[in-house]
Every structure is written in structure tokens, then in C-alpha cells.
Amino acid sequence: MRSVILAGFLLSGTILTSAAQADADIFISGSADRSVFDWLYGEDTAFTAQGAASIEYSFTPTLGAQGDVVVRRDFYDLDGPYSLTETDADAALHLFYREQDRFLVGAIGQVGRFTSEFEDLVGSNIFQVNRGYLGLEGQVYFDQVTLYGQLGVHQHEPVDYYGMAFEGVFATAEIRYFLTPDLKLEAHAAALTYEDPNVDYTAGMAYNLGASIEYRFEDSPISAFAGYDFAHTELEGGHNLVDEHRFLIGVRLNHGTDTLLDRDRTGISLKPVKPVRLLYGVLG
């Protein structure tokens, strides 16, 4: 899995570089948010910084590809001499067929790694999980509305626990409404199941719900966005182990399209799968 992750980042980097030299749609975004995590043993807050870059390139009027790279880092606010940071790094590749103002169908492949770093007076502990996603996706366009869905399979492999692999399915749904060509409202939902069939007490599920708003300034490549996300993860039996409330704001630098609606129908309109905090049974 480690070599697959490296290959995924190299492939996405190649797409970003080659497409940047052609007539491509590009955006780069940065965001920050404040999160509240309701764990089994209490509540913690974290400050998050995230950076992302995406490029879409059309080989023909209907066939194209999009590459995404996303890095997110959570800094937890803990009491006492403790430090906890968590990092998510993902690279995704989309291949699609799109008929402008009608529909899009495509496939997505994504690889990533989750890293948790905990430090106290005794020392530090690092826990890592490699992950991969493979699925289908599609969009349908109705004037000011876009419907978007993804469906596929995933695998998560803890790095230091040889032989363990958590598998399952994921699904996402999203609706976008454009009040104007440069003002977009969005609501989304996603669910994911996971289990290691060889290990007891590892079956679980996660889901998230959220909404956001984005505005692109007139005659400017810059857009600003704000949103809220709720994520829930539990193990089999309905044990409520993690709830996450995330409030975020950010900006995007757009290149290659004139409006948000134009970007949605002819440019970067696809998204990587959003990672969730899985719980690995006895692993924590």
C-alpha cells in the first residue's frame, strides 16, 4: 500500500504539472477551521489548517481528467503536558465523460495516509493508516442545480499492525444550488462501512452531513467559502464513540473559468472522497 500511495501522489503531481502547461482549469485553496470532538472519554477541540490543489484537463470536448491533492493537519488543544496532531494527506484521480449542461459520468481512484502523533513527558507515539478508494461517480445538471454522487469500495491498513485490513463501501451525495453564477449553496451527506473480517469487534460505520456557501468576487479569480460539517463514527452495536463538529472558512484561487457555475459545468466539478475518523476496535 505504501508504494501505491507514493505512485498516487506522483501521478497526481504529473497531472498537475502537465495540465498547468496546457489549457486547463486550476484552483488552489486554503482553509482553517475549529473542530470539537466528542470522544468516549470526553471532549477536545482542535484547530485545523488545510491546503488543496486541483486541475482539470479536457482531452476532447467530452473526455477529461481531474487530479486533486489535499493535506489537512489538526492541532489539538489538550490539558497538561500533552501534544496531539493528526495529518491527512490524499491524492485522487478522476477520469470522466461529460456533456456540458447535461451530465457527467466517471471513475475515481484515491490513495492517502492518516498520521497521528501523540507526545507526553514519557515520549511520543505515532500511529499511521494507509487507505485507498475506488469507485464510480456522476453528476446531473438542471439549470441552477447540480446533483452529484459517488459509490465505491475502500480499504484501510494500519501501518504497524501487519495483516490487518479494514474494508467496506462508501457513498456520497451532494446538491449544489447557484443563486447567481458566482454564489453557490451546497449540502452534502456521506456514509462509510468498515470491518476486518479476521478480527472481532472491528465492524463500524461513519457518516457525515454538511453545508457550505461560496462566493466568487466580481472580475476576480478569488472566491471565499464557509461551511459546517458534522461527522459521526461508531463501532458495531450503536456505541457512539466519536462526534465531530467542524466550522471552516477559506479562499480559493480560480484559473481557467469565469464563474463558479462555469467551473461546475466545464471545469473542476469533482471532489476527492472526504476522509473520516475510523475506530479500529482494540487499536483505538
Side-chain angles (χ1 to χ4, degrees):
M1 175 67 82
R2 185 173 301 178
S3 60
V4 173
I5 289 177
L6 178 59
F9 276 99
L10 291 175
L11 180 59
S12 294
T14 300
I15 292 174
L16 293 175
T17 302
S18 60
Q21 299 171 354
D23 185 14
D25 181 32
I26 306 170
F27 80 63
I28 300 172
S29 68
S31 62
D33 61 65
R34 191 71 172 173
S35 304
V36 178
F37 294 87
D38 185 8
W39 305 89
L40 180 62
Y41 301 108
E43 184 178 278
D44 292 311
T45 60
F47 171 78
T48 300
Q50 176 173 297
S54 296
I55 281 188
E56 180 273 340
Y57 180 72
S58 296
F59 305 107
T60 74
T62 56
L63 296 176
Q66 180 181 318
D68 311 296
V69 175
V70 182
V71 178
R72 188 181 92 180
R73 192 164 177 86
D74 294 319
F75 303 87
Y76 285 82
D77 182 15
L78 302 180
D79 294 329
Y82 306 107
S83 171
L84 174 63
T85 58
E86 294 181 339
T87 304
D88 289 288
D90 288 85
L93 174 64
H94 315 258
L95 301 174
F96 60 84
Y97 173 89
R98 172 164 52 194
E99 293 192 8
Q100 186 176 344
D101 296 327
R102 294 186 62 196
F103 67 89
L104 176 151
V105 292
I108 177 175
Q110 179 174 329
V111 292
R113 170 172 286 188
F114 165 77
T115 302
S116 176
E117 303 171 72
F118 177 78
E119 294 185 6
D120 57 17
L121 294 177
V122 178
S124 62
N125 180 55
I126 297 178
F127 176 66
Q128 293 181 312
V129 179
N130 294 332
R131 57 179 176 241
Y133 305 86
L134 185 64
L136 301 175
E137 56 190 344
Q139 296 179 337
V140 182
Y141 310 126
F142 301 97
D143 294 329
Q144 297 168 276
V145 175
T146 296
L147 303 180
Y148 181 22
Q150 296 173 319
L151 179 65
V153 296
H154 72 90
Q155 184 179 72
H156 287 62
E157 296 181 1
V159 173
D160 295 326
Y161 295 82
Y162 181 76
M164 299 191 73
F166 299 84
E167 303 172 345
V169 299
F170 71 90
T172 69
E174 184 172 290
I175 181 170
R176 304 167 184 168
Y177 179 68
F178 293 85
L179 294 170
T180 72
D182 277 324
L183 180 58
K184 179 185 69 173
L185 301 178
E186 179 181 296
H188 56 265
L192 177 149
T193 64
Y194 65 101
E195 180 180 15
D196 186 335
N198 300 315
V199 181
D200 293 333
Y201 310 114
T202 59
M205 70 164 296
Y207 65 84
N208 69 73
L209 306 168
S212 65
I213 182 171
E214 182 177 2
Y215 175 72
R216 181 167 174 172
F217 298 99
E218 186 175 359
D219 298 324
S220 171
I222 297 175
S223 61
F225 61 93
Y228 166 78
D229 270 308
F230 169 77
H232 171 86
T233 304
E234 64 182 40
L235 291 177
E236 192 173 41
H239 302 292
N240 181 0
L241 295 182
V242 178
D243 283 338
E244 175 186 356
H245 302 272
R246 186 177 294 270
F247 304 88
L248 72 154
I249 58 173
V251 295
R252 290 191 175 103
L253 177 64
N254 304 269
H255 170 76
T257 53
D258 296 326
T259 66
L260 296 183
L261 182 60
D262 186 27
R263 187 184 76 192
D264 184 76
R265 303 299 165 85
T266 65
I268 297 169
S269 62
L270 303 172
K271 293 183 176 181
V273 180
K274 182 178 296 186
V276 296
R277 292 290 182 267
L278 301 188
L279 299 168
Y280 303 100
V282 296
L283 301 183

